Amino acid sequence: MNASPTPSTSKRPPRICVFCGSRTGHDPVWSSLAEAVGAGIGLRGWDMVFGAGQIGLMGIVATAARDAGSRITGVIPSYLMTTEVVMRDLDELVEVETMIERKIEMSRRADAFLVLPGGVGTLEELFEVWTGAATYAHEKPLVIANTMGYFDGLLMYMEEVRDHGFLDDQHLNQPVVVRDLDAVFQALEAAVSRVG
Ligand code: AMP
């Protein structure tokens, strides 16, 4: 994936691309996290890009961001428009042909990426962006909200990958991994300050 170039930020607020579950998970803490993240994005005057879905954590984070003043862009393949619950009142709905184009368009519009708990779709997006950073296709910051250690197992496995010699420390450490909400926003503030 080549996520560059990012459209200039000189005339617009920073845009955060959020990857997260199309489900809410069992623990209500994930929904609370998504709501607080969305509200925090909006309160900072940032905009948001995501997969356009109304469902799960995706819908919660986008609704909270929009309610707090963010401009929300959703990107979705046309063939999913009929089967998916697309969020209403998006500021911009970008229709693409394929899931691959969706990731490219989400990434192109983003200044930084934030990964919240989710399933295979979220993990696939995380690895797409991580791979892009590792292959120097882009230099956009990637923040992982490892709240309650949700990603501990994955990150431990990635250390094993490093220990087996398939990944070096530089690339292992590219994502900024944080645990609590304050740290999420510290990391994002540092990220967006670099793109201004
Ligand atoms: P998952 O983690 O498997 O629930 O997938 C959610 C992630 O993949 C989101 O960040 C979306 O960008 C994308 N995605 C997967 N399924 C959907 C869906 N039904 N509606 C919208 N986006 C989805």
Side-chain angles (χ1 to χ4, degrees), residues 16 18 46 62 64 88 101 107 112 126-127 138-139 152 164 166 168 171 186 188:
I16 312 297
V18 181
W46 300 338
R88 280 174 293 160
E101 282 178 56
S107 301
L126 161 63
F127 279 106
H138 69 84
E139 295 183 345
D152 278 353
H164 282 293
F166 288 102
D168 57 32
H171 295 138
Q186 271 173 24
L188 289 177

Side-chain angles (χ1 to χ4, degrees), residues 91-121:
D91 294 291
E92 185 183 12
L93 179 63
V94 181
E95 275 188 61
V96 293
E97 291 298 313
T98 64
M99 291 296 270
I100 293 170
E101 282 178 56
R102 174 198 234 174
K103 275 182 300 192
I104 292 171
E105 284 305 316
M106 285 198 288
S107 301
R108 198 177 69 80
R109 285 171 160 74
D111 298 305
F113 303 95
L114 173 64
V115 184
L116 303 180
V120 287

Side-chain angles (χ1 to χ4, degrees), residues 1 17-22 51 77 79-80 98-104 106-107 113-133 138 142 144 150-151 154 158:
M1 175 198 68
C17 180
V18 181
F19 300 134
C20 61
S22 57
Y79 70 90
L80 287 182
T98 64
M99 291 296 270
I100 293 170
E101 282 178 56
R102 174 198 234 174
K103 275 182 300 192
I104 292 171
M106 285 198 288
S107 301
F113 303 95
L114 173 64
V115 184
L116 303 180
V120 287
T122 301
L123 296 176
E124 198 248 356
E125 291 166 332
L126 161 63
F127 279 106
E128 180 78 22
V129 172
W130 195 342
T131 307
H138 69 84
L142 168 60
I144 299 176
Y150 182 81
F151 291 101
L154 179 75
M158 294 310 291

Side-chain angles (χ1 to χ4, degrees), residues 25-52:
H26 294 314
D27 194 324
V29 75
W30 310 128
S31 297
S32 303
L33 172 70
E35 194 165 355
V37 163
I41 288 173
L43 288 172
R44 283 166 179 78
W46 300 338
D47 292 340
M48 198 189 119
V49 186
F50 79 125

